[in-house]
Amino acid sequence: MSPPPSLPLLRTTWTTLYSHTLPALALSHAPSQPTWPVHLDHCFARIIYDAVIGEGVTPWPTRLQSPAVAHMSAAQLQACIAMGEAIAAGRVVLAEVDERSLAVRGKKGKKRKLGDGDGQEGGRKKGERDGDIRAVMGFAAEKRGEVTPPRTARSASLSSSPATDADQDTRALIVSSGLSPFRQRVLLALTQVPPGKYTTYAALADFLGSVPRAVGNAMRNNPFAPAVPCHRVLAADGGIGGFGGEWGGKGDEGERIRKKRELLRSEGVRFDGRGRVVGGVWRGFV
């Protein structure tokens, strides 16, 4: 008999499911559901948390301290994953579970159109910032325009590519960190870039369905460096890019940019006489 999955692995699986897989299915209007009444990650989490933790009779925060992902038991995480997978496969009707969630919160949802619940759940009035519900769930509010919904169901997760135990531990720390979902996606993707290779802000943005500036902003103050190798991300023109609040390529390089170049050289990345990187961009994200 195989051992039960660890809490970090369950947290990663659950976070990937509600923040990437289900929103991607909703955005593509997948036929597994007759209608997708919500399409944002925190809405899927709210619906499933109310069903599993609140047992369909009370909002989940009345029973569990936030952030939920950090305080759920293994059994609760497994139940959330099971319901999320059932929604994805069409075995559970999302609209019905959403109606029950809204009902326990004193709201009516029958007249809601696609996406209306994304701005009205948990007692919020339409038009209030998404950061309110994210704060309840333990995530930092993201700036407007920073997050672009994923174009496909691709995501960086613990099971997305072969990884060492150290890689698994790092990814589990990212997922349980309380960072915003977008920052988690960026940092999780970064863990896939191998030593001796480099990628670019544009390549990361393309994989994540975002824009280079948003990716760069998400990498600032990386709390998991060097385990999460932000130094392996360069500018699209082959320049060194940014590091530690400095940006290279104009005149003398600062101490932090020199450190970035040294780290890359120590891993086998080469630069030409102009300081431009030699070799192709790594794009092996899965």
Side-chain angles (χ1 to χ4, degrees):
M1 179 181 296
S2 60
S6 65
L7 273 175
L9 180 57
L10 287 171
R11 288 168 180 156
T12 299
T13 302
W14 162 239
T15 300
T16 299
L17 181 60
Y18 87 78
S19 65
H20 306 314
T21 305
L22 290 173
L25 291 172
L27 288 169
S28 66
H29 304 289
S32 56
Q33 292 291 327
T35 182
W36 292 89
V38 300
H39 65 271
L40 297 182
D41 53 3
H42 56 269
C43 296
F44 285 107
R46 179 262 301 172
I47 292 167
I48 296 173
Y49 284 157
D50 281 354
V52 172
I53 300 171
E55 298 180 300
V57 297
T58 185
W60 72 266
T62 65
R63 292 189 171 181
L64 186 71
Q65 181 181 351
S66 65
V69 71
H71 293 94
M72 281 191 288
S73 66
Q76 288 172 324
L77 283 164
Q78 289 173 323
C80 285
I81 292 167
M83 175 164 282
E85 291 176 340
I87 290 172
R91 297 191 301 272
V92 169
V93 179
L94 175 62
E96 294 178 357
V97 188
D98 184 31
E99 290 294 330
R100 289 196 290 271
S101 172
L102 292 170
V104 301
R105 292 166 179 264
K107 290 186 171 291
K108 296 181 179 180
K110 290 185 178 180
K111 296 182 179 180
R112 291 162 65 241
K113 297 180 181 179
L114 178 64
D116 284 352
D118 296 342
Q120 293 183 320
E121 77 218 38
R124 286 189 298 154
K125 296 181 180 179
K126 188 174 182 179
E128 289 182 354
R129 294 183 63 105
D130 291 308
D132 295 342
I133 188 66
R134 294 179 189 276
V136 170
M137 294 173 61
F139 298 119
E142 294 171 319
K143 296 180 180 179
R144 289 290 184 182
E146 180 177 314
V147 180
T148 302
R151 289 194 293 264
T152 71
R154 294 180 300 171
S155 62
S157 68
L158 275 173
S159 59
S160 63
S161 62
T164 65
D165 290 341
D167 290 335
Q168 298 276 7
D169 291 341
T170 298
R171 296 181 189 186
L173 286 173
I174 293 170
V175 170
S176 61
S177 65
L179 296 174
S180 70
F182 181 70
R183 285 195 71 190
Q184 289 185 31
R185 291 179 64 212
V186 172
L187 297 179
L188 285 168
L190 272 176
T191 63
Q192 298 185 49
V193 184
K197 303 291 183 180
Y198 77 95
T199 191
T200 65
Y201 301 98
L204 262 173
D206 182 64
F207 169 70
L208 295 169
S210 186
V211 295
R213 184 179 294 275
V215 168
N217 287 338
M219 288 168 52
R220 289 180 180 174
N221 302 316
N222 174 11
F224 304 106
V228 176
C230 54
H231 64 280
R232 295 175 191 155
V233 182
L234 307 181
D237 63 359
I240 194 68
F243 193 62
E246 294 180 356
W247 188 264
K250 292 184 179 180
D252 294 335
E253 293 181 349
E255 180 179 352
R256 293 175 181 175
I257 293 299
R258 289 195 297 271
K259 177 64 175 177
K260 178 177 183 177
R261 198 179 294 277
E262 290 171 4
L263 283 170
L264 289 166
R265 281 176 172 151
S266 71
E267 294 175 344
V269 175
R270 296 180 295 116
F271 298 88
D272 64 19
R274 298 181 303 157
R276 303 289 183 180
V277 69
V278 175
V281 178
W282 187 86
R283 297 177 180 269
F285 302 105
V286 293

